[in-house]
Amino acid sequence: MNAVLTKAAVLLAVPRRLLRALFPRSLVGRVFGLFSLAMLVLLASGLGMFYRYQYLQHIEETQDNALMLVEIATQTVEESVVIGDYDTVKRTLNKLLVKSPFKQAEFLDLGGGAIRLTAPEMRQAAAPQWFAQLIAARFYDVNRVIAVGGKDYGVLRLSFDERKLAAQLWSVIAETSVVVWVLFMLSLTLTHIFLRRWLDNLGGLRLLEHDLAAGRVTAEASFRADAPSEIQEAILAVNRGAASLRVQYGQQIESLMNSLMQHKSAMDQAAIVSEIDTEGRIESVNDLFKASSGLTHAEVIGQPLTRFTRSTDGPQWQPDGAVWTGEVAVVGHPAARQWQRIIVPIFDADNVLERYICIDVDITARKEFERTIVTNAHRESLIADLGRAALATVELDELFGAAAQAAASALGAAHAAVFEFDEDSAMRRVTLRAGVGALAGVVGQTWNGAAMPLAPQPADAPLRPMFEPLGAADGLHSGVDACILCADRQFGLIAVFSDDGRRFAHEDHTFLRSITNILATAIERQSAQKQLTYLAQYDALTNLPNRRHLSQSLNRLIAQSAVTGQRAGVMFIDLDHFKKVNDSLGHDVGDQLLVLATQRLRDCTRDGDLIARLGGDEFALVLPDISDDGLVRLARALVDTLARPFIMKGQQLFVSASIGIARYPDDGVHSDLLLKNADTAMYAAKNSGRNNYQLYTAAMQEGAEQRLLTEAQLHLALENNEFLLHYQPKIDLASGAVSGFEALLRWQHPERGLVPPLEFIALLEDTGLIIPVGEWVVREVCAQQRRWQAQGMQLRPVAINLSARQLRQNDLAATIEQIVSASGIAPALLEFELTESMLMVNPEAAVAIMTQIRQFGIRLSIDDFGTGYSSLAYLKRFPLDALKIDRTFVRDLAHDSDDAAITKAVISLAHSLNLKVIAEGVETDAQLSELARLGCDEIQGYYTGRPLPADACFAQVQRAAPVLPAGGVVLA
């Protein structure tokens, strides 16, 4: 009920606001407007009644005249037909048509003869068609039987000329309207002239206001002799009121002056007071002025006020007759005194400036207290920021740089640095890890001179002896430092330096200790993390990477190879008959054998190759940038070297190796698939008799058959119209309305039903089918836009994902332009989304293609932003309209400060580049509220609506309410 009442109130408020905006604000305008409205109503009513009377009167007269003419003509025709004089009949009809309301006259005799005459065309201006039709509806043809002596001779038929009748009446109406309009405009003009003249007398009140504001206190408002009596009385009343106020204000001013003089002596006791002449020179000062400034009476009298004080928060005071307030510092005072000042001009009765009164209050103590509070708050903020940075970053150099910057900022110094000691000897080497100011250019410099344990800095020494070389080279004259203590050792120290010999206070050293505590914690945490990482990713026996490290390294290699286009290989190596060594000689010998085998693997591989132990007697090699021939040569070398005998406990041990090889990208583009295929090939080598290698082939994997089947079905899917599109809405956070959609490809398999995209999108990309399917998607989106338009839906842009294979097409832009032009929809209704990794494969080519598409009018956005490694330099060059924040950052946005910080930075970056920001994967109200707070432009996800077929999407949008944070309406 409340919502209904609110909506009704809003609807009623619209006409009120419109009427208020159109209603004149001036009195002349309002009176003139009401008079004009009344005149219009009266004229409209009068003319309407006049025109109606003329219309009915004209019709009645025309009908009467027509009947009279018919009677006369009938008598003449009857007399003529009796004697067979048809010439007379014709002349009679001809005369009947002259200046009559008829357009045609006919005489039809019983013998079949006919006499037809038509009136000449009228030369009068024609009336409008609708008016002629209105006249025609009131007249009917006249038919009279010609009979004499009871015998019928024929029929006389007359047809009215409705166009002529309408033109005559319309001419009367037009002439009357012109005359009335001229008279109406003349009356309005005269009314406006007299109203303006009478009400212009009120302008005297505005002149009175200006005179009073200019200081002419005796001014009065004037009026014309012909002004209306009411206006004259109003102006006279204002003049009487102004005169009364002048008397009252004069009395109050006199009283205030007396009070000011009485309190002057009290002011001298409470404040620093001086009198200044009109040129800004000091005429007199009180005792507090001399005591606080340290100046004598003789030193200040006759001198400019600005000689002894300077403004600290704005421009200097000038003797310009205005009140001045601000803070000033006493020039040359050893204690750096600060005053709060107000300078008031004093005028005489004729408004002539006499002098200035300067009142100062000593605020030195307050300012010092405020500076202390600000300094401590600033330092606490820096400590808090550094603590957060220590928790967020894993790079010590970055943290050291932030610590040096914080130390320099907090202590107000230009130079700061973080130093590290090595652990080799008592006289340790010192390395400068991070620096600010002059020390920023010597980061990484190392020198001898840190005697351990490090003693406190001597109180009488401005610099430690170890820093004297830096001081001599960079002009550093004093410093303060604090040691970084990690567990049981001195890691290093942080130091702040001054180039003016400044003496640092104890509070400065305490602040540096706070920084060292944060750094020590971060260093210890990183050391522990490194140890845990090593144990989690390396084999304790061989010091080789384990399976987890292998998978991560392979993923990185695949990503790098995808960008560079280089080939790579994965080998699985299994030592044949290793179990016999363990069983016969024990696990100690087996472990030693594994260590020796590891060394032989290292001897055969390159520096950039990765060797990992998967467990037991299984090893794996990740081989970047290697050809198939190189893989074969390496496999042969490994088989040969591992077949040579191992000398263990004075006896020779023989083992061999079975090796399986998978190649990137031939045998897989994902780490799991490559490892799986290499493992499959390794078992094929074992099945082939061991002590050999096998390259992975499709025949080794039964799953390849299913892949081939799916690929074949995909080739037919496009021909059989099995592909369809679902649309997911995007919401504008500013209005809460649907701002667009993203088109998502679906495969409706005739047997399997709706196939998940993950099962066929990669196959489309691998097989090249993504090219024709991608073109079909563009055509279907254009066609759907036309269908939505026919259904009456307000069209919104639809985003389409472009694949890496499509982006490599030289004619991509031309193909898209051809499809869109043929569809007839506006290019601005399409948007293409591209991922970071796609763009960075060949940035220059991507920029060229994107520019062509953008010039055609299609919008472009970068998808999954933040998950790739795009360069900011290229990001600026790409002709983009929007960035889409990846769902990985949105998922924990409401609870993870890191994700929130990254999202905020991305939004700020995008807005600085004039890009719109879209967040995908929004599923909760908390995520929506946080994105709205951070300034995100649009959202997309299950919170706003799941992907739907086009018809369902249209129906959903038609009944959807705006999406708002914190309990807003949801589209699905």
Side-chain angles (χ1 to χ4, degrees):
M1 185 63 181
N2 292 335
V4 174
L5 293 176
T6 302
K7 186 173 182 181
V10 171
L11 294 176
L12 291 175
V14 172
R16 287 202 298 269
R17 288 197 297 268
L18 181 61
L19 181 61
R20 191 181 302 115
L22 297 176
F23 201 68
R25 296 188 177 274
S26 67
L27 181 59
V28 172
R30 294 186 179 185
V31 173
F32 183 72
L34 290 176
F35 175 76
S36 302
L37 182 60
M39 289 289 292
L40 283 174
V41 172
L42 290 174
L43 287 176
S45 302
L47 286 176
M49 296 174 64
F50 173 75
Y51 292 154
R52 185 175 184 276
Y53 171 78
Q54 286 292 323
Y55 172 73
L56 297 176
Q57 183 68 21
H58 186 74
I59 290 175
E60 184 178 353
E61 290 178 355
T62 300
Q63 290 176 340
D64 293 341
N65 293 335
L67 291 176
M68 182 179 66
L69 291 173
V70 169
E71 291 297 332
I72 296 173
T74 300
Q75 294 177 4
T76 304
V77 171
E78 287 177 347
E79 294 173 356
S80 299
V81 297
V82 170
I83 62 176
D85 187 1
Y86 288 100
D87 291 336
T88 301
V89 173
K90 185 175 182 180
R91 285 194 300 271
T92 300
L93 296 181
N94 192 33
K95 292 179 180 180
L96 182 63
L97 293 176
V98 176
K99 295 184 180 180
S100 72
F102 301 109
K103 65 180 178 181
Q104 186 175 11
E106 295 180 286
F107 175 72
L108 306 174
D109 63 9
L110 296 179
I115 299 175
R116 291 186 179 86
L117 296 178
T118 302
E121 290 291 334
M122 67 173 182
R123 297 184 179 181
Q124 192 172 5
Q129 183 66 28
W130 63 269
F131 191 70
Q133 293 175 352
L134 185 65
I135 294 296
R138 304 297 297 267
F139 293 96
Y140 303 95
D141 293 345
V142 177
N143 294 289
R144 287 294 179 90
V145 177
I146 304 300
V148 179
K151 180 180 178 180
D152 295 336
Y153 288 91
V155 177
L156 177 63
R157 176 176 299 168
L158 300 172
S159 300
F160 283 98
D161 191 347
E162 66 275 4
R163 294 174 56 201
K164 180 178 180 181
L165 296 173
Q168 293 172 350
L169 184 56
W170 184 256
S171 176
V172 174
I173 293 174
E175 291 172 357
T176 305
S177 299
V178 171
V179 173
V180 171
W181 178 253
V182 172
L183 294 176
F184 173 66
M185 294 304 296
L186 181 60
S187 65
L188 288 184
T189 303
L190 293 175
T191 302
H192 186 270
I193 291 173
F194 283 108
L195 278 177
R196 171 63 69 181
R197 177 175 177 82
W198 293 335
L199 295 179
D200 277 349
N201 291 279
L202 295 177
L205 297 178
R206 290 194 295 271
L207 295 177
L208 175 61
E209 178 187 7
H210 295 157
D211 291 340
L212 293 176
R216 293 186 287 275
V217 297
T218 60
E220 291 186 348
S222 61
F223 53 85
R224 294 191 183 98
D226 63 344
S229 59
E230 292 86 351
I231 294 178
Q232 293 183 14
E233 286 297 326
I235 294 177
L236 290 174
V238 172
N239 288 337
R240 289 192 295 271
S244 176
L245 289 176
R246 282 195 293 270
V247 174
Q248 295 178 22
Y249 288 159
Q251 294 173 351
Q252 292 181 7
I253 290 174
E254 184 178 357
S255 175
L256 287 174
M257 290 298 296
N258 292 333
S259 177
L260 180 62
M261 297 303 295
Q262 292 173 4
H263 289 85
K264 183 177 184 300
S265 59
M267 178 73 72
D268 288 339
Q269 301 299 320
I272 303 168
V273 182
S274 58
E275 293 187 9
I276 316 298
D277 64 16
T278 56
E279 296 181 358
R281 292 188 296 269
I282 300 175
E283 291 183 340
S284 65
V285 296
N286 66 354
D287 293 337
L288 279 180
F289 186 100
K290 293 181 286 185
S292 182
S293 66
L295 300 170
T296 64
H297 188 272
E299 289 175 330
V300 299
I301 297 301
Q303 299 296 324
L305 178 64
T306 54
R307 176 180 176 182
F308 305 107
T309 58
R310 58 176 176 81
S311 175
T312 59
D313 61 352
Q316 293 288 346
W317 171 72
Q318 299 293 334
D320 54 4
V323 176
W324 187 91
T325 60
E327 295 180 1
V328 298
V330 179
V331 177
H333 197 286
R337 311 298 294 183
Q338 284 188 273
W339 296 347
Q340 178 71 43
R341 168 168 291 174
I342 179 171
I343 301 177
V344 182
I346 305 299
F347 299 90
D348 61 12
D350 296 327
N351 201 32
V352 177
L353 180 65
E354 287 187 339
R355 63 185 182 280
Y356 297 91
I357 299 297
C358 178
I359 303 173
D360 296 303
V361 177
D362 194 334
I363 58 172
T364 305
R366 191 192 78 190
K367 282 294 184 181
E368 184 62 32
F369 181 69
E370 290 176 354
R371 278 193 292 270
T372 302
I373 292 177
V374 172
T375 300
N376 290 339
H378 177 57
R379 292 184 176 185
E380 290 175 1
S381 175
L382 290 173
I383 288 295
D385 291 342
L386 187 63
R388 285 191 290 269
L391 293 175
T393 184
V394 295
E395 295 294 336
L396 284 182
D397 286 337
E398 180 180 345
L399 182 62
F400 289 159
Q405 187 67 49
S409 175
L411 273 60
H415 318 284
V418 175
F419 302 91
E420 181 183 0
F421 307 140
D422 64 17
E423 303 181 41
D424 294 340
S425 61
M427 183 60 72
R428 299 181 182 177
R429 293 183 62 80
V430 180
T431 301
L432 198 155
R433 292 289 299 272
V436 174
L439 301 178
V442 293
V443 172
Q445 181 176 331
T446 301
W447 68 94
N448 293 322
M452 294 294 131
L454 189 68
Q457 181 178 355
D460 57 346
L463 281 177
R464 286 185 181 273
M466 76 171 71
F467 296 142
E468 290 177 356
L470 287 178
D474 300 312
L476 308 179
H477 300 296
S478 63
V480 61
D481 59 58
C483 188
I484 304 173
L485 297 176
C486 297
D488 57 349
R489 74 183 184 93
Q490 293 178 330
F491 175 85
L493 53 79
I494 184 171
V496 175
F497 301 98
S498 171
D499 49 15
D500 57 4
R502 163 188 169 188
R503 289 290 183 174
F504 293 92
H506 175 71
E507 292 78 6
D508 299 331
H509 178 74
T510 302
F511 176 78
L512 293 183
R513 289 293 304 272
S514 300
I515 292 182
T516 61
N517 291 336
I518 295 175
L519 295 180
T521 302
I523 293 168
E524 292 173 355
R525 185 177 69 251
Q526 189 189 67
S527 178
Q529 289 175 346
K530 286 182 178 180
Q531 183 64 21
L532 291 174
T533 300
Y534 183 85
L535 294 177
Q537 298 195 358
Y538 286 85
D539 175 54
L541 174 64
T542 61
N543 291 325
L544 292 175
N546 58 16
R547 183 183 294 273
R548 180 181 180 184
H549 190 166
L550 171 71
S551 179
Q552 295 174 352
S553 299
L554 184 54
N555 282 328
R556 287 194 295 269
L557 174 61
I558 291 173
Q560 180 182 359
S561 298
V563 174
T564 61
Q566 296 176 342
R567 300 177 62 81
V570 176
M571 288 187 181
F572 261 43
I573 304 173
D574 185 85
L575 299 181
D576 301 324
H577 311 299
F578 179 76
K579 185 175 183 301
K580 296 180 180 178
V581 175
N582 273 339
D583 294 342
S584 60
L585 300 177
H587 289 279
D588 292 340
V589 175
D591 290 345
Q592 295 179 30
L593 178 60
L594 292 174
V595 172
L596 294 176
T598 298
Q599 185 57 47
R600 293 190 182 183
L601 294 177
R602 288 196 177 103
D603 294 339
C604 293
T605 54
R606 303 166 299 180
D607 290 340
D609 298 338
L610 176 71
I611 309 172
R613 183 189 177 199
L614 305 181
D617 58 352
E618 291 186 346
F619 296 87
L621 272 63
V622 175
L623 308 165
D625 191 17
I626 190 170
S627 63
D628 291 354
D629 292 341
L631 286 171
V632 171
R633 287 194 299 270
L634 178 59
R636 290 173 179 170
L638 291 174
V639 169
D640 292 341
T641 191
L642 292 174
R644 290 188 288 108
F646 293 88
I647 307 300
M648 306 288 298
K649 293 186 177 182
Q651 62 178 347
Q652 293 181 340
L653 296 179
F654 290 90
V655 294
S656 60
S658 297
I659 302 177
I661 305 172
R663 296 154 295 181
Y664 173 86
D666 300 345
D667 301 330
V669 294
H670 304 291
S671 60
D672 293 341
L673 182 59
L674 284 172
L675 294 173
K676 179 181 178 182
N677 291 342
D679 189 41
T680 301
M682 184 267 291
Y683 279 104
K686 283 188 174 293
N687 294 333
S688 299
R690 305 178 188 271
N691 194 28
N692 70 94
Y693 64 89
Q694 291 290 327
L695 293 170
Y696 173 80
T697 62
M700 299 177 183
Q701 181 65 41
E702 294 182 359
E705 298 178 0
Q706 179 62 38
R707 184 180 187 278
L708 292 174
L709 176 61
T710 303
E711 181 180 331
Q713 293 172 339
L714 281 174
H715 278 280
L716 298 175
L718 189 58
E719 299 177 8
N720 297 335
N721 295 320
E722 296 174 7
F723 289 118
L724 55 93
L725 294 179
H726 285 183
Y727 298 86
Q728 187 173 35
K730 295 187 285 188
I731 302 301
D732 179 26
L733 283 181
S735 63
V738 175
S739 59
F741 303 92
E742 181 178 3
L744 301 173
L745 183 63
R746 297 292 187 264
W747 181 16
Q748 186 67 43
H749 194 279
E751 298 176 357
R752 299 169 58 191
L754 207 60
V755 181
L758 290 177
E759 293 189 16
F760 68 89
I761 294 295
L763 274 178
L764 291 176
E765 182 81 15
D766 293 343
T767 59
L769 288 173
I770 195 67
I771 302 299
V773 172
E775 295 177 3
W776 175 86
V777 171
V778 177
R779 287 193 183 91
E780 178 60 21
V781 168
C782 294
Q784 185 58 54
Q785 289 277 35
R786 295 296 298 272
R787 289 192 288 270
W788 278 335
Q789 186 178 35
Q791 294 171 355
M793 175 179 170
Q794 181 180 357
L795 297 184
R796 299 167 174 85
V798 176
I800 301 172
N801 290 283
L802 280 182
S803 70
R805 193 73 170 264
Q806 289 175 284
L807 195 61
R808 291 198 295 268
Q809 286 183 268
N810 294 329
D811 61 343
L812 175 62
T815 301
I816 292 174
E817 181 176 355
Q818 179 184 1
I819 295 173
V820 176
S821 299
S823 71
I825 72 166
L829 293 175
L830 290 184
E831 178 180 346
F832 288 116
E833 296 182 0
L834 309 95
T835 64
E836 286 184 90
S837 56
M838 289 166 50
L839 297 177
M840 296 309 297
V841 172
N842 189 346
E844 297 297 337
V847 168
I849 294 176
M850 292 170 66
T851 301
Q852 295 176 22
I853 296 175
R854 189 67 183 84
Q855 289 175 346
F856 182 54
I858 297 177
R859 298 161 52 85
L860 297 171
S861 63
I862 186 167
D863 196 10
D864 300 333
F865 186 77
T867 60
Y869 39 87
S870 59
S871 166
L872 292 181
Y874 276 111
L875 184 61
K876 182 179 179 181
R877 291 184 56 194
F878 291 140
L880 297 171
D881 297 285
L883 295 182
K884 293 190 73 173
I885 301 176
D886 187 66
R887 65 183 67 248
T888 57
F889 299 112
V890 176
R891 184 185 303 115
D892 299 322
L893 180 62
H895 313 292
D896 191 325
S897 60
D898 292 339
D899 285 346
I902 293 172
T903 303
K904 180 178 180 181
V906 171
I907 293 174
S908 177
L909 170 65
H911 286 170
S912 67
L913 295 175
N914 295 322
L915 300 179
K916 184 169 59 178
V917 181
I918 307 166
E920 55 183 353
V922 179
E923 299 180 356
T924 67
D925 188 75
Q927 294 170 349
L928 172 62
S929 299
E930 186 67 13
L931 288 168
R933 185 185 68 81
L934 294 176
C936 185
D937 301 307
E938 295 180 5
I939 61 170
Q940 178 183 348
Y942 285 174
Y943 184 84
T944 61
R946 294 175 177 270
L948 298 171
D951 293 339
C953 187
F954 170 71
Q956 190 79 310
V957 170
Q958 292 299 101
R959 64 172 181 267
V963 174
L964 302 172
V969 181
V970 183
L971 291 180

